[in-house]
Amino acid sequence: MQLEEVIDRLRAMGDERNRAGMARFGIATDRAFGVSVVNIRKLAKETGKDHALALELWNTGIHEARILASVIDVPKAVTEEQMEQWVSDLDSWDLCDQCCANLFDKTPFAAAKVAEWSEREPEFEKRAAFSLLAYLAVHNKKASDADFLPFLRIIVRESTDERNFVKKAVNWSLRQIGKRNPTLNKAAIETAQEIASLPSRSARWIAKDALRELVGREA
């Protein structure tokens, strides 16, 4: 399927009600058609996996085209340079999370990017670090406890970031790590307790919410 045809299909599926709903949830809509993720995934099944098309879709700057790009891209074809370009282009939490869930967590660069992006200042680049970490905790069944324990120190360090989209992702990654097994559950609870002592509203919220889910959990 050619780029022009895909964009025409996305445009035809657009819905102003969906677009208005996106805006209410803090999603940038200046370059969006208002296409549901369900319909984007249906279109992805028609296009099939296509790295070249994914790059073209991303470069349009259209919101739904970029989500589609994250679905149809081929993880083995993704370069570190591409990941850096895409993360710097992120302008909304949903695009950030779709990229992490559909593509970034399946690349060999995933763990390194968690560490790198966690130190970035732009809000959605930093969110990408913790969204990616959350998805690694959920999807990477073969990873060991030792793969995740060092990330708990990064979670503590960034727990004082007061920005909404960052603190929610920090909290999310902590909870997902703590739900993997009893060993990581214990480590995550201890991390949350440490975070709770920090002089930050964000840190206190992250800790309280995480402890509510993790304490007493049968991991």
Side-chain angles (χ1 to χ4, degrees), residues 12 14 18 20 29 35 38 58 71 85 97 130 160 162 169 181 183 194 207-208 218:
N18 288 343
T29 59
V35 184
V38 171
W58 188 272
V71 179
Q85 178 194 336
D97 295 353
F130 296 99
T160 58
E162 302 290 337
N181 60 49
T183 299
E194 179 182 353
K208 182 178 179 180
E218 294 292 331

Side-chain angles (χ1 to χ4, degrees), residues 3-28:
L3 176 65
E4 294 77 10
E5 181 184 354
V6 176
I7 297 303
D8 287 344
R9 293 280 297 277
L10 286 171
R11 185 179 289 108
M13 289 189 290
D15 187 322
E16 280 301 316
R17 291 171 298 179
N18 288 343
R19 195 165 175 271
M22 292 165 63
R24 286 195 297 273
F25 283 97
I27 299 170

Side-chain angles (χ1 to χ4, degrees), residues 186-198:
K186 181 176 183 293
I189 288 172
E190 291 173 351
T191 300
Q193 291 168 337
E194 179 182 353
I195 290 171
S197 68
L198 298 176

